[in-house]
Amino acid sequence: MTSSDRSQAVGVNKSYEIRTYGCQMNVHDSERLSGLLEDAGYVRAPEGSDGDADVVVFNTCAVRENADNKLYGNLGRLAPMKTRRPGMQIAVGGCLAQKDRETIVEKAPWVDVVFGTHNIGKLPVLLERARVQEEAQVEIAESLEAFPSTLPTRRESAYAAWVSISVGCNNTCTFCIVPALRGKEEDRRPGDILAEIEALVGEGVSEITLLGQNVNAYGSDLGDREAFSKLLRACGEIEGLERVRFTSPHPRDFTDDVIAAMAETPNVMPQLHMPLQSGSDPILKAMRRSYRQERFLGIIEKVRAAIPHAAISTDIIVGFPGETEEDFQQTMHTVREARFANAFTFQYSKRPGTPAATMEGQIPKEVVQDRYMRLVALQEEISWEENKKQVGRTLEVMVAEGEGRKDGATHRLSGRAPDNRLVHFTKPDAEVRPGDVVTVEITYAAPHHLLAEGPTTAVRRTRAGDAWEKRNAAPAQPQGVMLGIPTLGVPAPLPAATGGCALPS
C-alpha cells in the first residue's frame, strides 16, 4: 500500500496526538511513532488540543512508583471525550504497556490498542485492526522485531537529532526495571549508524546525540570493546557535523580510550553525563553498581585532566533502602569532590518489579526528604560556583528553539554552549535562526544558566539554520503535544529525563 493509499484508508483529516513520558529513548520512540502515523496519512493535532484528536497515543514510562496511577488518571479523563466522539481511538505503548499488558484494557476498556517497546512499528496496523474488528488489540512482542531506526521518523528539530546506537541493557541494577522491559542490549552496526548521521547532516542537522540505555557499553554485542571510542572518532570525520554528544554512559564501561577519543575529536563536545547514583560503597553494592566511589572519582579526574573545560553532570538517588546517614554523607563527599556542573537528583521510590522494592530498610519519607533537600542545596551552591567560572569567557552558542521561556519579554535569545550550559544572550541586530551559531562573552552566572548581556561578537549563519528556516517556511503543520520531557529544539539538557529510563546507566 502506498502512502497515498494509506492516507485514503485513514482519511486525510484524521489527527493524532502523542503524550510522551520518561527518558530520551521514549522521546526518540515518539518521533518514530509520529513518523509512522504521518506515513499512514494522519496529521498532528494542534498544540494544546488536550485529547481533542482522532488518535491519542500514550508513550509510557514504568520507572516511577505512581506511573500507572498517572496513566489511568489520564485515560479516565479521556473516557467521556471518547464517548462523545465516535471513531476516536486511544493507544498505550512504552514501558508500562510492556509491563502491564492486558491489565490496561481490563482497567480501561475504552483503550483500543496496547503495544510494547519492541513493536512500535505495528501501531498503524493495530489501530486499523481495532477499527475494523471493533475490539481492543493487545500485541506485546518479547524481543525486538526490527531496529527502530529503520522506521519512519518525524524529528522534533530541524538542526539537532537523536541517533540510537543500541537498545536494551545488560545491567541488573536493583532499582531499575528497564532491562526487563527493553531487553538485552542489541547494538547497531557502525556503518548503519554513520550512514544515518551522514543522511541527517545532508538534511541540515549539525548536532547529534548518540543514544543508548548504556551508551558506552556499545560494542559488547559486536565483540569489540573499543567500538564506542571508534564510533566517536568516526563521527569526527563527517563533514558538516559540528557537535556530537552522547547519553548515558556507565562508569563500569568508561574506559581510557573513550576519554582519549573525546579529547582528540574536535566535534565531540566537552560535556559528560556520568550517573553516580550514590557515593557510598555499601549502597552501590546493594544497587549492583559495579564501581565504587574511588573508581568514579578517578574517572572524573581523568576526564578533567584530558578536557579541562568539560562540564560533568550526574544522576543521584537519595534514600535507597538501607542508606544510613553515614552513607548519605559519602554521597555528599563525592559531590563536593566531583564538583558537578549540575545533578539530576531523585528521592528513591519503589519501582514495582525491582529487587529494591522488597528490600529491608526502606527509609521513612521524612528522612529521604531531609537528605534530598540537603543534597540539592549543596549541588545548587556548587553549580553556581562552577558557573561563575564561566564569566568573562567567550563562547560559541548554538541558538536553540524554545529554551528561553522569558526571551520574548527580555529581548534575548537562548542556546547551548559547547559544554551544554544554557546561555541567554542579547538579541543581535542581524537575523539569527535556531541552528545558527553566535559568539558571545559571558557577563553573569546563575546556578542553572549563563547570561551574555553585551553585544554579540559574531553571528554565523549555518546549514542547520537554513534547514530550520526551510521547515518553518513550509505550509504550517499542526504541532503535537509532548509531556514529561523538556522541549526539544536542540536535544534537551542531558539527561532529559526526570526519573525516566536514564536512571539505569
Side-chain angles (χ1 to χ4, degrees):
M1 184 183 288
T2 66
S3 295
S4 174
D5 293 333
R6 284 192 294 270
S7 297
Q8 293 176 4
V10 301
V12 294
N13 294 321
K14 282 202 170 185
S15 60
Y16 75 91
E17 171 189 335
I18 297 178
R19 303 186 183 190
T20 306
Y21 304 89
C23 67
Q24 302 98 327
M25 197 72 73
N26 271 17
V27 173
H28 194 19
D29 282 350
S30 287
E31 291 183 328
R32 297 182 181 114
L33 292 171
S34 293
L36 285 160
L37 290 171
E38 293 187 10
D39 196 49
Y42 295 86
V43 296
R44 295 185 91 174
E47 187 172 355
S49 57
D50 194 24
D52 189 19
D54 297 298
V55 173
V56 179
V57 183
F58 291 86
N59 191 5
T60 64
C61 171
V63 169
R64 284 300 184 195
E65 184 178 15
N66 65 348
D68 53 348
N69 293 333
K70 182 180 292 186
L71 171 66
Y72 294 120
N74 285 320
L75 290 176
R77 283 188 285 274
L78 288 184
M81 189 177 294
K82 189 169 190 244
T83 301
R84 295 192 302 267
R85 294 191 58 182
M88 179 183 179
Q89 292 183 295
I90 299 172
V92 179
C95 289
L96 192 63
Q98 187 79 22
K99 181 173 76 74
D100 285 358
R101 308 182 180 217
E102 288 85 358
T103 304
I104 294 173
V105 176
E106 291 173 5
K107 291 185 176 181
W110 54 93
V111 169
D112 299 276
V113 171
V114 178
F115 62 101
T117 59
H118 299 306
N119 63 331
I120 63 175
K122 291 287 185 68
L123 177 59
V125 172
L126 293 172
L127 287 169
E128 180 65 9
R129 193 186 300 165
R131 184 185 67 81
V132 172
Q133 298 182 6
E134 297 184 341
E135 64 178 13
Q137 302 295 309
V138 179
E139 186 168 311
I140 306 292
E142 296 301 331
S143 59
L144 196 65
E145 294 183 347
F147 205 92
S149 288
T150 62
L151 300 173
T153 302
R154 185 195 190 283
R155 297 187 183 270
E156 293 299 311
S157 170
Y159 51 90
W162 309 101
V163 175
S164 288
I165 68 171
S166 64
V167 295
C169 181
N170 294 336
N171 293 320
T172 58
C173 301
T174 55
F175 55 78
C176 182
I177 197 171
V178 172
L181 303 179
R182 288 195 176 264
K184 294 292 185 181
E185 181 178 325
E186 293 187 40
D187 295 334
R188 290 178 74 189
R189 295 288 170 181
D192 293 340
I193 297 168
L194 295 170
E196 180 181 356
I197 295 172
E198 288 171 350
L200 289 168
V201 172
E203 295 169 4
V205 168
S206 62
E207 175 174 321
I208 60 103
T209 301
L210 303 175
L211 188 62
Q213 215 71 55
N214 180 7
V215 70
N216 61 321
Y218 177 74
S220 62
D221 190 40
L222 305 174
D224 184 355
R225 291 179 58 85
E226 296 189 352
F228 185 61
S229 62
K230 293 175 182 176
L231 182 63
L232 290 178
R233 292 183 185 276
C235 287
E237 301 298 318
I238 298 177
E239 186 176 354
L241 179 58
E242 296 195 15
R243 294 186 172 191
V244 178
R245 306 185 191 278
F246 58 89
T247 192
S248 289
H250 192 294
R252 180 194 66 187
D253 302 300
F254 208 87
T255 49
D256 291 350
D257 61 296
V258 172
I259 297 173
M262 291 176 65
E264 296 165 10
T265 309
N267 63 356
V268 176
M269 294 294 94
Q271 173 229 340
L272 174 64
H273 182 75
M274 179 74 78
L276 169 64
Q277 309 300 11
S278 174
S280 162
D281 288 355
I283 295 300
L284 288 170
K285 182 178 181 181
M287 289 178 168
R288 289 188 199 150
R289 304 286 288 178
S290 51
Y291 56 88
R292 298 296 178 258
Q293 181 192 112
E294 183 179 2
R295 158 76 172 153
F296 184 92
L297 290 174
I299 294 171
I300 301 300
E301 184 178 356
K302 287 181 179 180
V303 170
R304 289 227 165 92
I307 314 167
H309 288 300
I312 301 173
S313 57
T314 196
D315 295 332
I316 302 173
I317 298 174
V318 175
F320 187 82
E323 182 187 75
T324 65
E325 178 64 23
E326 182 180 351
D327 292 323
F328 174 67
Q329 288 301 326
Q330 286 301 307
T331 295
M332 297 284 273
H333 168 74
T334 308
V335 169
R336 292 188 187 97
E337 291 293 310
R339 299 197 64 79
F340 300 113
N342 60 77
F344 295 81
T345 52
F346 306 93
Q347 296 185 45
Y348 172 78
S349 62
K350 293 181 180 179
R351 277 76 163 178
T354 63
T358 57
M359 283 182 176
E360 295 181 357
Q362 301 288 329
I363 310 299
K365 175 66 177 176
E366 60 273 16
V367 175
V368 178
Q369 177 70 18
D370 174 69
R371 291 175 183 170
Y372 174 79
M373 295 304 294
R374 284 188 278 159
L375 175 61
V376 168
L378 172 62
Q379 181 55 53
E380 194 90 347
E381 178 185 331
I382 292 172
S383 294
W384 200 357
E385 290 173 355
E386 292 301 306
N387 275 1
K388 286 176 182 176
K389 296 177 182 178
Q390 305 299 309
V391 174
R393 290 189 66 196
T394 298
L395 302 176
E396 281 201 335
V397 175
M398 181 179 287
V399 183
E401 185 174 29
E403 293 270 24
R405 290 174 296 176
K406 299 179 181 178
D407 283 352
T410 58
H411 304 289
R412 293 175 180 144
L413 295 176
S414 300
R416 294 280 165 179
D419 64 9
N420 210 42
R421 283 183 165 95
L422 178 62
V423 180
H424 304 301
F425 59 94
T426 302
K427 189 174 182 178
D429 294 332
E431 179 190 14
V432 180
R433 307 158 301 176
D436 287 340
V437 175
V438 300
T439 303
V440 297
E441 181 179 333
I442 303 304
T443 57
Y444 176 81
H448 303 292
H449 68 267
L450 304 173
L451 286 182
E453 299 164 298
T456 301
T457 306
V459 174
R460 178 163 60 87
R461 292 173 67 86
T462 65
R463 291 172 60 254
D466 294 341
W468 180 89
E469 187 172 3
K470 181 179 179 182
R471 174 186 281 200
N472 285 272
Q477 289 286 335
Q479 296 300 303
V481 178
M482 303 286 284
L483 301 180
I485 290 289
T487 53
L488 293 177
V490 173
L494 302 176
T498 54
C501 305
L503 281 175
S505 297

